[in-house]
Amino acid sequence: MTGDSVGAIVVDFPSTAFSAEAVKRAAYALMARYDVAIGGDADVIRCAIRPAHPTVDMATAERDLRREVVDHDLRISIEQRTSPYRDAILGLAFSKTGLQDG
Amino acid sequence: MAKFRERADFDASPSAPYEMLPWRFTLLDQESYVATNMAGEYVLMSRSEVAEFADGRLAPATPLYDELKSRHFLIDADTDVALDLLALKVRTKLAPLANFTGLHIFVTTLRCEHSCPYCQVSRANDDKREFDMTEETALKSLDLVFRSPSRALKIEFQGGESLLNLPLIKFVVLEAKRRNQAAGRDLAFVIATNLAVLDDDALEFARQHDILMSTSLDGPADLHNRNRPRPGKDSYERTVDGIRRARRALGHHSVGALMTTTAASLSSVRDIIDEYIRLDFGSIFLRPLSPYGFAMKTKFYQSYDQSKWLDFYFEGLDYIIELNLGGFEFIEQYAAMVLKKMLTPMQTSYVDLMSPAGIAIGAIVYNYDGAVYASDESRMLAEMDDKTFALGNVHDHEFAEIMLGDALLDPLEASFASSVPGCSWCAFEPWCGADPVFHHATQGDFVGKKPLSAFCTRNMEVFRGLISRMEASPDVRRLFERWANII
């Protein structure tokens, strides 16, 4: 256990299964309830969870983080796979508006 | 031997794989997610359905597949029009951007005879004329008004108490109408007033020039007078009398009212709504407090938290729904504006629900001294010595300097909801707004940390509350669809 994780709930995510971006987004989304310190190495993304306030109940902290990471991993996957369509739709939406250069 | 092949042979969709179009999902409750497409059309899905759809495993010829297909969440071999339709809807939502700025607020004076502790505007004693807008400043402001590309121009007079500088209001109206003979815009005027100093002269002028009146009404007499002290302690009586006289002179629908929620209001939402109904208003806007001006200095903003306001809001909304389902038509305006974004391809002109933010491009403020602010809230911040959103001065700056300066473009660009953390992956983003002034005021930057943002948490709960109610009841759904198309 590192100095960062003393007294914290530690949750590991295998780097092969989850992106660091998904973990960062999850930590961001949960910041009102938890302080999540992110570390790890090439194989593991390690999160140390602490309450953001003394009144925060930590009983569901690990489940909350795992669920949030899974959701964000899926969101990132959807974003990547639909990105060409997004660009095409915005291109069509802005065509002939006179708002573009050229 | 059969003459024709089987029906399934002509249907390419069931056996063909689909491709997802861009979509986002956000938790509605413990059981379900809200999924939205780029135009803000939504579908409810379970957790397993979200995963199945994202993994390409969603079975065709199921109700969910058809629903997702009809709302442009996917394309398959059976259809190729979804991209064009979706682009058209996105374009419709964004089209109003080219027609900025529709609302021009003239602060005719800072003088006011009320001393409301929650007031968002710093006020001056009503004998200090140095806080009045001059005709010279008004003329320069009008130069900027008529530079706006917007076909429709609304000039709203605010204060202080705007009617304390009635000569300036008359001057602006007459000059704007004179200029508009050549400009040919759809020109409208609103006087925002507490109605306490409304006299026959002002009413007659308003009648001659089709000027609307917008006033403040916080609820029943005891609540209103507690919130809005003035000499004589008769704010409520004067407001109600002013509403009656203004309606008689201008027409019933030419007078609107806005309420402000204070800690004292929280237990009285039904009484407040009943008061609006008693005074024959057709709607109410259940508004939260803003973190600006006197509301901050007097600690009024801190006096209740978001959860209490949300309880207040939903108690009021449910009461209004109950009234409607009982046959009495009455609208909650905030819900109606959100529903317009949820259920139609149209946008609302309400600045707080615009992204890119509505500052300056939705509404712009010309202060009594010629300073130009990006919004009413920006002016309030400036009164607290924070001039981040001061765009220039009508006496010193041209239209292009004001509208293309860093003071405006930086917050507009930084806060664009589609590209900021927390919003870019949120399914509610198409319905929400970017509010750089609020986040600057509360967190010190234009974007803000959304999980800590009262603006974000409040709106997310409102979105969830509206969806839950219309999904639970077809009658509420029909009511909400009506509201979405009225407002």
Side-chain angles (χ1 to χ4, degrees), chain A residues 34-80:
Chain A
Y34 311 121
D35 284 332
V36 181
I38 302 173
D41 53 35
D43 300 321
V44 167
I45 303 167
R46 176 157 296 168
C47 295
I49 317 172
R50 288 189 177 82
H53 308 285
T55 54
V56 171
D57 181 359
M58 297 295 285
T60 61
E62 180 174 348
R63 193 196 70 180
D64 293 343
L65 180 63
R66 287 192 184 282
R67 192 166 176 155
E68 201 69 38
V69 169
V70 168
D71 279 358
H72 279 290
D73 206 60
L74 190 55
R75 289 187 181 105
I76 291 165
S77 166
I78 294 167
E79 286 167 17
Q80 290 170 344

mmCIF file of all heavy atoms in Angstrom, chain A residues 34-80:
data_model
loop_
_atom_site.group_PDB
_atom_site.id
_atom_site.type_symbol
_atom_site.label_atom_id
_atom_site.label_comp_id
_atom_site.label_asym_id
_atom_site.label_seq_id
_atom_site.Cartn_x
_atom_site.Cartn_y
_atom_site.Cartn_z
ATOM 1 N N TYR A 34 -16.545 11.571 -3.166
ATOM 2 C CA TYR A 34 -15.281 10.899 -2.856
ATOM 3 C C TYR A 34 -14.089 11.636 -3.465
ATOM 4 O O TYR A 34 -14.188 12.183 -4.567
ATOM 5 C CB TYR A 34 -15.273 9.465 -3.427
ATOM 6 C CG TYR A 34 -16.511 8.655 -3.107
ATOM 7 C CD1 TYR A 34 -17.306 8.124 -4.126
ATOM 8 C CD2 TYR A 34 -16.888 8.407 -1.781
ATOM 9 C CE1 TYR A 34 -18.441 7.375 -3.850
ATOM 10 C CE2 TYR A 34 -18.028 7.653 -1.495
ATOM 11 C CZ TYR A 34 -18.802 7.145 -2.538
ATOM 12 O OH TYR A 34 -19.923 6.415 -2.248
ATOM 13 N N ASP A 35 -12.975 11.614 -2.740
ATOM 14 C CA ASP A 35 -11.691 11.989 -3.324
ATOM 15 C C ASP A 35 -11.045 10.710 -3.828
ATOM 16 O O ASP A 35 -10.821 9.785 -3.042
ATOM 17 C CB ASP A 35 -10.784 12.629 -2.265
ATOM 18 C CG ASP A 35 -11.195 14.050 -1.947
ATOM 19 O OD1 ASP A 35 -11.763 14.712 -2.841
ATOM 20 O OD2 ASP A 35 -10.975 14.486 -0.807
ATOM 21 N N VAL A 36 -10.770 10.660 -5.111
ATOM 22 C CA VAL A 36 -10.178 9.452 -5.687
ATOM 23 C C VAL A 36 -8.768 9.783 -6.186
ATOM 24 O O VAL A 36 -8.604 10.589 -7.102
ATOM 25 C CB VAL A 36 -11.032 8.911 -6.857
ATOM 26 C CG1 VAL A 36 -10.398 7.635 -7.428
ATOM 27 C CG2 VAL A 36 -12.462 8.633 -6.390
ATOM 28 N N ALA A 37 -7.766 9.175 -5.546
ATOM 29 C CA ALA A 37 -6.380 9.341 -5.997
ATOM 30 C C ALA A 37 -6.057 8.210 -6.965
ATOM 31 O O ALA A 37 -6.308 7.042 -6.661
ATOM 32 C CB ALA A 37 -5.439 9.307 -4.801
ATOM 33 N N ILE A 38 -5.519 8.570 -8.133
ATOM 34 C CA ILE A 38 -5.278 7.570 -9.182
ATOM 35 C C ILE A 38 -3.772 7.340 -9.337
ATOM 36 O O ILE A 38 -2.999 8.282 -9.455
ATOM 37 C CB ILE A 38 -5.877 8.036 -10.525
ATOM 38 C CG1 ILE A 38 -7.381 8.292 -10.361
ATOM 39 C CG2 ILE A 38 -5.629 6.996 -11.630
ATOM 40 C CD1 ILE A 38 -8.035 8.914 -11.570
ATOM 41 N N GLY A 39 -3.376 6.082 -9.295
ATOM 42 C CA GLY A 39 -1.975 5.732 -9.494
ATOM 43 C C GLY A 39 -1.887 4.405 -10.231
ATOM 44 O O GLY A 39 -2.766 4.076 -11.028
ATOM 45 N N GLY A 40 -0.831 3.629 -9.946
ATOM 46 C CA GLY A 40 -0.722 2.310 -10.550
ATOM 47 C C GLY A 40 0.520 2.147 -11.397
ATOM 48 O O GLY A 40 1.463 2.957 -11.310
ATOM 49 N N ASP A 41 0.521 1.119 -12.222
ATOM 50 C CA ASP A 41 1.667 0.855 -13.085
ATOM 51 C C ASP A 41 1.153 0.410 -14.459
ATOM 52 O O ASP A 41 -0.015 0.642 -14.796
ATOM 53 C CB ASP A 41 2.562 -0.221 -12.458
ATOM 54 C CG ASP A 41 1.793 -1.479 -12.089
ATOM 55 O OD1 ASP A 41 0.842 -1.829 -12.838
ATOM 56 O OD2 ASP A 41 2.100 -2.109 -11.059
ATOM 57 N N ALA A 42 2.010 -0.266 -15.212
ATOM 58 C CA ALA A 42 1.631 -0.631 -16.585
ATOM 59 C C ALA A 42 0.469 -1.611 -16.624
ATOM 60 O O ALA A 42 -0.309 -1.628 -17.586
ATOM 61 C CB ALA A 42 2.837 -1.227 -17.307
ATOM 62 N N ASP A 43 0.310 -2.403 -15.593
ATOM 63 C CA ASP A 43 -0.716 -3.452 -15.606
ATOM 64 C C ASP A 43 -2.001 -3.060 -14.885
ATOM 65 O O ASP A 43 -3.069 -3.582 -15.194
ATOM 66 C CB ASP A 43 -0.174 -4.733 -14.947
ATOM 67 C CG ASP A 43 1.050 -5.246 -15.676
ATOM 68 O OD1 ASP A 43 1.058 -5.174 -16.923
ATOM 69 O OD2 ASP A 43 2.001 -5.673 -14.997
ATOM 70 N N VAL A 44 -1.866 -2.166 -13.915
ATOM 71 C CA VAL A 44 -3.006 -1.884 -13.035
ATOM 72 C C VAL A 44 -3.192 -0.384 -12.857
ATOM 73 O O VAL A 44 -2.217 0.364 -12.709
ATOM 74 C CB VAL A 44 -2.769 -2.534 -11.641
ATOM 75 C CG1 VAL A 44 -3.758 -2.008 -10.621
ATOM 76 C CG2 VAL A 44 -2.871 -4.045 -11.734
ATOM 77 N N ILE A 45 -4.454 0.036 -12.899
ATOM 78 C CA ILE A 45 -4.788 1.414 -12.514
ATOM 79 C C ILE A 45 -5.334 1.328 -11.094
ATOM 80 O O ILE A 45 -6.345 0.655 -10.848
ATOM 81 C CB ILE A 45 -5.854 2.017 -13.458
ATOM 82 C CG1 ILE A 45 -5.377 1.959 -14.904
ATOM 83 C CG2 ILE A 45 -6.180 3.441 -13.042
ATOM 84 C CD1 ILE A 45 -6.480 2.245 -15.913
ATOM 85 N N ARG A 46 -4.637 1.950 -10.158
ATOM 86 C CA ARG A 46 -5.007 1.819 -8.739
ATOM 87 C C ARG A 46 -5.674 3.094 -8.239
ATOM 88 O O ARG A 46 -5.146 4.199 -8.396
ATOM 89 C CB ARG A 46 -3.763 1.519 -7.916
ATOM 90 C CG ARG A 46 -4.009 1.468 -6.415
ATOM 91 C CD ARG A 46 -2.957 0.652 -5.722
ATOM 92 N NE ARG A 46 -3.018 -0.742 -6.150
ATOM 93 C CZ ARG A 46 -2.068 -1.657 -5.876
ATOM 94 N NH1 ARG A 46 -1.030 -1.315 -5.168
ATOM 95 N NH2 ARG A 46 -2.195 -2.889 -6.295
ATOM 96 N N CYS A 47 -6.854 2.929 -7.640
ATOM 97 C CA CYS A 47 -7.598 4.077 -7.112
ATOM 98 C C CYS A 47 -7.696 3.968 -5.597
ATOM 99 O O CYS A 47 -8.073 2.915 -5.070
ATOM 100 C CB CYS A 47 -9.007 4.117 -7.698
ATOM 101 S SG CYS A 47 -9.030 4.388 -9.474
ATOM 102 N N ALA A 48 -7.367 5.060 -4.916
ATOM 103 C CA ALA A 48 -7.540 5.120 -3.462
ATOM 104 C C ALA A 48 -8.686 6.085 -3.175
ATOM 105 O O ALA A 48 -8.611 7.264 -3.528
ATOM 106 C CB ALA A 48 -6.258 5.613 -2.802
ATOM 107 N N ILE A 49 -9.739 5.561 -2.576
ATOM 108 C CA ILE A 49 -10.958 6.362 -2.383
ATOM 109 C C ILE A 49 -11.049 6.824 -0.932
ATOM 110 O O ILE A 49 -10.949 6.024 0.003
ATOM 111 C CB ILE A 49 -12.232 5.540 -2.692
ATOM 112 C CG1 ILE A 49 -12.058 4.706 -3.961
ATOM 113 C CG2 ILE A 49 -13.444 6.453 -2.808
ATOM 114 C CD1 ILE A 49 -13.217 3.730 -4.188
ATOM 115 N N ARG A 50 -11.280 8.125 -0.767
ATOM 116 C CA ARG A 50 -11.528 8.694 0.567
ATOM 117 C C ARG A 50 -12.793 9.543 0.502
ATOM 118 O O ARG A 50 -13.185 9.998 -0.572
ATOM 119 C CB ARG A 50 -10.362 9.586 0.987
ATOM 120 C CG ARG A 50 -9.099 8.846 1.331
ATOM 121 C CD ARG A 50 -8.077 9.813 1.949
ATOM 122 N NE ARG A 50 -6.885 9.087 2.353
ATOM 123 C CZ ARG A 50 -5.906 8.747 1.522
ATOM 124 N NH1 ARG A 50 -5.994 9.068 0.252
ATOM 125 N NH2 ARG A 50 -4.855 8.087 1.954
ATOM 126 N N PRO A 51 -13.418 9.754 1.656
ATOM 127 C CA PRO A 51 -14.615 10.620 1.639
ATOM 128 C C PRO A 51 -14.239 12.062 1.319
ATOM 129 O O PRO A 51 -13.202 12.555 1.783
ATOM 130 C CB PRO A 51 -15.165 10.495 3.065
ATOM 131 C CG PRO A 51 -13.997 10.053 3.897
ATOM 132 C CD PRO A 51 -13.127 9.230 3.004
ATOM 133 N N ALA A 52 -15.065 12.717 0.515
ATOM 134 C CA ALA A 52 -14.819 14.125 0.204
ATOM 135 C C ALA A 52 -15.180 15.017 1.387
ATOM 136 O O ALA A 52 -14.672 16.129 1.519
ATOM 137 C CB ALA A 52 -15.626 14.542 -1.031
ATOM 138 N N HIS A 53 -16.081 14.509 2.230
ATOM 139 C CA HIS A 53 -16.484 15.237 3.444
ATOM 140 C C HIS A 53 -16.611 14.227 4.579
ATOM 141 O O HIS A 53 -16.872 13.039 4.328
ATOM 142 C CB HIS A 53 -17.835 15.929 3.237
ATOM 143 C CG HIS A 53 -17.885 16.768 2.005
ATOM 144 N ND1 HIS A 53 -17.265 17.994 1.913
ATOM 145 C CD2 HIS A 53 -18.468 16.539 0.795
ATOM 146 C CE1 HIS A 53 -17.471 18.480 0.696
ATOM 147 N NE2 HIS A 53 -18.197 17.621 -0.005
ATOM 148 N N PRO A 54 -16.478 14.668 5.806
ATOM 149 C CA PRO A 54 -16.571 13.732 6.937
ATOM 150 C C PRO A 54 -17.918 13.010 7.011
ATOM 151 O O PRO A 54 -18.008 11.922 7.570
ATOM 152 C CB PRO A 54 -16.385 14.638 8.163
ATOM 153 C CG PRO A 54 -15.713 15.851 7.658
ATOM 154 C CD PRO A 54 -16.139 16.039 6.246
ATOM 155 N N THR A 55 -18.955 13.589 6.430
ATOM 156 C CA THR A 55 -20.288 12.994 6.552
ATOM 157 C C THR A 55 -20.590 11.943 5.476
ATOM 158 O O THR A 55 -21.645 11.309 5.510
ATOM 159 C CB THR A 55 -21.366 14.092 6.443
ATOM 160 O OG1 THR A 55 -21.157 14.810 5.236
ATOM 161 C CG2 THR A 55 -21.290 15.050 7.628
ATOM 162 N N VAL A 56 -19.667 11.761 4.540
ATOM 163 C CA VAL A 56 -19.942 10.834 3.436
ATOM 164 C C VAL A 56 -19.900 9.390 3.917
ATOM 165 O O VAL A 56 -18.951 8.970 4.589
ATOM 166 C CB VAL A 56 -18.918 11.037 2.293
ATOM 167 C CG1 VAL A 56 -19.066 9.939 1.242
ATOM 168 C CG2 VAL A 56 -19.098 12.404 1.658
ATOM 169 N N ASP A 57 -20.919 8.626 3.579
ATOM 170 C CA ASP A 57 -20.979 7.199 3.898
ATOM 171 C C ASP A 57 -20.153 6.443 2.851
ATOM 172 O O ASP A 57 -20.433 6.533 1.658
ATOM 173 C CB ASP A 57 -22.444 6.746 3.866
ATOM 174 C CG ASP A 57 -22.592 5.268 4.217
ATOM 175 O OD1 ASP A 57 -21.560 4.606 4.466
ATOM 176 O OD2 ASP A 57 -23.736 4.790 4.220
ATOM 177 N N MET A 58 -19.176 5.684 3.313
ATOM 178 C CA MET A 58 -18.267 4.992 2.381
ATOM 179 C C MET A 58 -18.721 3.573 2.062
ATOM 180 O O MET A 58 -18.022 2.834 1.350
ATOM 181 C CB MET A 58 -16.853 4.953 2.969
ATOM 182 C CG MET A 58 -16.218 6.315 3.169
ATOM 183 S SD MET A 58 -15.932 7.170 1.597
ATOM 184 C CE MET A 58 -14.511 6.247 0.984
ATOM 185 N N ALA A 59 -19.879 3.181 2.553
ATOM 186 C CA ALA A 59 -20.301 1.777 2.418
ATOM 187 C C ALA A 59 -20.383 1.323 0.959
ATOM 188 O O ALA A 59 -20.085 0.168 0.647
ATOM 189 C CB ALA A 59 -21.650 1.580 3.106
ATOM 190 N N THR A 60 -20.790 2.225 0.078
ATOM 191 C CA THR A 60 -20.952 1.842 -1.328
ATOM 192 C C THR A 60 -19.861 2.439 -2.223
ATOM 193 O O THR A 60 -19.998 2.442 -3.449
ATOM 194 C CB THR A 60 -22.326 2.286 -1.864
ATOM 195 O OG1 THR A 60 -22.416 3.720 -1.761
ATOM 196 C CG2 THR A 60 -23.463 1.649 -1.080
ATOM 197 N N ALA A 61 -18.796 2.937 -1.617
ATOM 198 C CA ALA A 61 -17.787 3.672 -2.387
ATOM 199 C C ALA A 61 -17.169 2.805 -3.487
ATOM 200 O O ALA A 61 -17.045 3.245 -4.643
ATOM 201 C CB ALA A 61 -16.702 4.204 -1.453
ATOM 202 N N GLU A 62 -16.766 1.581 -3.144
ATOM 203 C CA GLU A 62 -16.123 0.736 -4.152
ATOM 204 C C GLU A 62 -17.096 0.400 -5.278
ATOM 205 O O GLU A 62 -16.744 0.494 -6.465
ATOM 206 C CB GLU A 62 -15.596 -0.557 -3.517
ATOM 207 C CG GLU A 62 -14.929 -1.456 -4.548
ATOM 208 C CD GLU A 62 -14.272 -2.686 -3.935
ATOM 209 O OE1 GLU A 62 -14.137 -2.720 -2.702
ATOM 210 O OE2 GLU A 62 -13.905 -3.594 -4.704
ATOM 211 N N ARG A 63 -18.308 0.012 -4.908
ATOM 212 C CA ARG A 63 -19.301 -0.316 -5.946
ATOM 213 C C ARG A 63 -19.593 0.912 -6.820
ATOM 214 O O ARG A 63 -19.708 0.812 -8.044
ATOM 215 C CB ARG A 63 -20.600 -0.810 -5.292
ATOM 216 C CG ARG A 63 -21.541 -1.455 -6.285
ATOM 217 C CD ARG A 63 -22.937 -1.583 -5.723
ATOM 218 N NE ARG A 63 -23.565 -0.276 -5.592
ATOM 219 C CZ ARG A 63 -24.791 -0.083 -5.128
ATOM 220 N NH1 ARG A 63 -25.508 -1.093 -4.725
ATOM 221 N NH2 ARG A 63 -25.309 1.125 -5.056
ATOM 222 N N ASP A 64 -19.715 2.074 -6.178
ATOM 223 C CA ASP A 64 -19.986 3.295 -6.942
ATOM 224 C C ASP A 64 -18.884 3.562 -7.959
ATOM 225 O O ASP A 64 -19.156 3.907 -9.118
ATOM 226 C CB ASP A 64 -20.119 4.506 -6.001
ATOM 227 C CG ASP A 64 -21.350 4.424 -5.114
ATOM 228 O OD1 ASP A 64 -22.255 3.625 -5.426
ATOM 229 O OD2 ASP A 64 -21.391 5.152 -4.100
ATOM 230 N N LEU A 65 -17.641 3.406 -7.520
ATOM 231 C CA LEU A 65 -16.525 3.678 -8.433
ATOM 232 C C LEU A 65 -16.491 2.654 -9.567
ATOM 233 O O LEU A 65 -16.337 3.019 -10.737
ATOM 234 C CB LEU A 65 -15.194 3.667 -7.682
ATOM 235 C CG LEU A 65 -13.970 3.948 -8.563
ATOM 236 C CD1 LEU A 65 -14.024 5.358 -9.161
ATOM 237 C CD2 LEU A 65 -12.668 3.769 -7.790
ATOM 238 N N ARG A 66 -16.628 1.372 -9.208
ATOM 239 C CA ARG A 66 -16.580 0.338 -10.248
ATOM 240 C C ARG A 66 -17.681 0.561 -11.288
ATOM 241 O O ARG A 66 -17.460 0.466 -12.493
ATOM 242 C CB ARG A 66 -16.732 -1.060 -9.621
ATOM 243 C CG ARG A 66 -15.500 -1.506 -8.861
ATOM 244 C CD ARG A 66 -15.570 -2.978 -8.515
ATOM 245 N NE ARG A 66 -14.439 -3.390 -7.706
ATOM 246 C CZ ARG A 66 -13.217 -3.632 -8.198
ATOM 247 N NH1 ARG A 66 -12.984 -3.499 -9.482
ATOM 248 N NH2 ARG A 66 -12.238 -3.997 -7.389
ATOM 249 N N ARG A 67 -18.861 0.872 -10.808
ATOM 250 C CA ARG A 67 -19.988 1.092 -11.716
ATOM 251 C C ARG A 67 -19.741 2.297 -12.624
ATOM 252 O O ARG A 67 -20.018 2.268 -13.818
ATOM 253 C CB ARG A 67 -21.246 1.294 -10.866
ATOM 254 C CG ARG A 67 -22.520 1.249 -11.636
ATOM 255 C CD ARG A 67 -23.683 1.116 -10.676
ATOM 256 N NE ARG A 67 -24.924 1.163 -11.418
ATOM 257 C CZ ARG A 67 -26.052 0.633 -11.013
ATOM 258 N NH1 ARG A 67 -26.127 0.019 -9.871
ATOM 259 N NH2 ARG A 67 -27.144 0.723 -11.740
ATOM 260 N N GLU A 68 -19.207 3.351 -11.999
ATOM 261 C CA GLU A 68 -18.949 4.572 -12.765
ATOM 262 C C GLU A 68 -17.871 4.319 -13.831
ATOM 263 O O GLU A 68 -17.973 4.804 -14.962
ATOM 264 C CB GLU A 68 -18.503 5.676 -11.800
ATOM 265 C CG GLU A 68 -18.680 7.082 -12.311
ATOM 266 C CD GLU A 68 -20.122 7.532 -12.455
ATOM 267 O OE1 GLU A 68 -20.956 7.189 -11.607
ATOM 268 O OE2 GLU A 68 -20.418 8.219 -13.461
ATOM 269 N N VAL A 69 -16.838 3.564 -13.479
ATOM 270 C CA VAL A 69 -15.769 3.271 -14.435
ATOM 271 C C VAL A 69 -16.307 2.439 -15.605
ATOM 272 O O VAL A 69 -16.011 2.710 -16.778
ATOM 273 C CB VAL A 69 -14.592 2.545 -13.743
ATOM 274 C CG1 VAL A 69 -13.606 2.006 -14.790
ATOM 275 C CG2 VAL A 69 -13.868 3.485 -12.792
ATOM 276 N N VAL A 70 -17.125 1.452 -15.284
ATOM 277 C CA VAL A 70 -17.704 0.619 -16.351
ATOM 278 C C VAL A 70 -18.537 1.491 -17.299
ATOM 279 O O VAL A 70 -18.433 1.382 -18.530
ATOM 280 C CB VAL A 70 -18.573 -0.511 -15.748
ATOM 281 C CG1 VAL A 70 -19.400 -1.184 -16.842
ATOM 282 C CG2 VAL A 70 -17.695 -1.536 -15.048
ATOM 283 N N ASP A 71 -19.356 2.351 -16.724
ATOM 284 C CA ASP A 71 -20.183 3.224 -17.564
ATOM 285 C C ASP A 71 -19.317 4.123 -18.448
ATOM 286 O O ASP A 71 -19.583 4.293 -19.643
ATOM 287 C CB ASP A 71 -21.092 4.096 -16.690
ATOM 288 C CG ASP A 71 -22.342 3.342 -16.241
ATOM 289 O OD1 ASP A 71 -22.502 2.173 -16.641
ATOM 290 O OD2 ASP A 71 -23.152 3.927 -15.491
ATOM 291 N N HIS A 72 -18.292 4.705 -17.866
ATOM 292 C CA HIS A 72 -17.462 5.626 -18.654
ATOM 293 C C HIS A 72 -16.650 4.888 -19.710
ATOM 294 O O HIS A 72 -16.408 5.427 -20.791
ATOM 295 C CB HIS A 72 -16.561 6.460 -17.739
ATOM 296 C CG HIS A 72 -17.288 7.617 -17.129
ATOM 297 N ND1 HIS A 72 -17.698 8.703 -17.857
ATOM 298 C CD2 HIS A 72 -17.733 7.837 -15.875
ATOM 299 C CE1 HIS A 72 -18.340 9.558 -17.079
ATOM 300 N NE2 HIS A 72 -18.380 9.051 -15.860
ATOM 301 N N ASP A 73 -16.225 3.690 -19.384
ATOM 302 C CA ASP A 73 -15.510 2.899 -20.391
ATOM 303 C C ASP A 73 -16.407 2.652 -21.603
ATOM 304 O O ASP A 73 -15.977 2.752 -22.759
ATOM 305 C CB ASP A 73 -15.048 1.570 -19.774
ATOM 306 C CG ASP A 73 -13.823 1.024 -20.478
ATOM 307 O OD1 ASP A 73 -12.787 1.720 -20.483
ATOM 308 O OD2 ASP A 73 -13.924 -0.079 -21.046
ATOM 309 N N LEU A 74 -17.659 2.352 -21.311
ATOM 310 C CA LEU A 74 -18.618 2.129 -22.401
ATOM 311 C C LEU A 74 -18.870 3.424 -23.177
ATOM 312 O O LEU A 74 -18.943 3.428 -24.408
ATOM 313 C CB LEU A 74 -19.929 1.585 -21.814
ATOM 314 C CG LEU A 74 -20.970 1.063 -22.796
ATOM 315 C CD1 LEU A 74 -20.393 -0.010 -23.700
ATOM 316 C CD2 LEU A 74 -22.176 0.517 -22.026
ATOM 317 N N ARG A 75 -18.996 4.529 -22.449
ATOM 318 C CA ARG A 75 -19.214 5.818 -23.122
ATOM 319 C C ARG A 75 -18.058 6.138 -24.067
ATOM 320 O O ARG A 75 -18.270 6.605 -25.191
ATOM 321 C CB ARG A 75 -19.352 6.944 -22.076
ATOM 322 C CG ARG A 75 -20.640 6.896 -21.300
ATOM 323 C CD ARG A 75 -20.802 8.128 -20.405
ATOM 324 N NE ARG A 75 -22.051 8.042 -19.659
ATOM 325 C CZ ARG A 75 -22.131 7.741 -18.360
ATOM 326 N NH1 ARG A 75 -21.033 7.531 -17.659
ATOM 327 N NH2 ARG A 75 -23.312 7.674 -17.768
ATOM 328 N N ILE A 76 -16.855 5.903 -23.607
ATOM 329 C CA ILE A 76 -15.682 6.199 -24.449
ATOM 330 C C ILE A 76 -15.695 5.316 -25.693
ATOM 331 O O ILE A 76 -15.414 5.778 -26.803
ATOM 332 C CB ILE A 76 -14.383 6.011 -23.630
ATOM 333 C CG1 ILE A 76 -14.282 7.105 -22.573
ATOM 334 C CG2 ILE A 76 -13.161 6.033 -24.540
ATOM 335 C CD1 ILE A 76 -13.254 6.840 -21.492
ATOM 336 N N SER A 77 -16.058 4.064 -25.484
ATOM 337 C CA SER A 77 -16.131 3.149 -26.626
ATOM 338 C C SER A 77 -17.177 3.635 -27.639
ATOM 339 O O SER A 77 -16.937 3.639 -28.857
ATOM 340 C CB SER A 77 -16.484 1.745 -26.113
ATOM 341 O OG SER A 77 -16.866 0.920 -27.167
ATOM 342 N N ILE A 78 -18.331 4.055 -27.153
ATOM 343 C CA ILE A 78 -19.381 4.571 -28.049
ATOM 344 C C ILE A 78 -18.885 5.822 -28.774
ATOM 345 O O ILE A 78 -19.081 5.980 -29.981
ATOM 346 C CB ILE A 78 -20.662 4.871 -27.245
ATOM 347 C CG1 ILE A 78 -21.264 3.583 -26.691
ATOM 348 C CG2 ILE A 78 -21.682 5.610 -28.114
ATOM 349 C CD1 ILE A 78 -22.346 3.807 -25.643
ATOM 350 N N GLU A 79 -18.228 6.715 -28.033
ATOM 351 C CA GLU A 79 -17.716 7.959 -28.644
ATOM 352 C C GLU A 79 -16.759 7.641 -29.784
ATOM 353 O O GLU A 79 -16.825 8.242 -30.858
ATOM 354 C CB GLU A 79 -16.984 8.798 -27.585
ATOM 355 C CG GLU A 79 -17.889 9.489 -26.592
ATOM 356 C CD GLU A 79 -17.100 10.035 -25.409
ATOM 357 O OE1 GLU A 79 -15.859 10.171 -25.501
ATOM 358 O OE2 GLU A 79 -17.738 10.302 -24.388
ATOM 359 N N GLN A 80 -15.869 6.686 -29.529
ATOM 360 C CA GLN A 80 -14.864 6.366 -30.552
ATOM 361 C C GLN A 80 -15.504 5.736 -31.777
ATOM 362 O O GLN A 80 -15.149 6.065 -32.913
ATOM 363 C CB GLN A 80 -13.812 5.423 -29.951
ATOM 364 C CG GLN A 80 -12.920 6.122 -28.929
ATOM 365 C CD GLN A 80 -12.028 5.170 -28.152
ATOM 366 O OE1 GLN A 80 -12.260 3.953 -28.143
ATOM 367 N NE2 GLN A 80 -11.026 5.713 -27.493
#
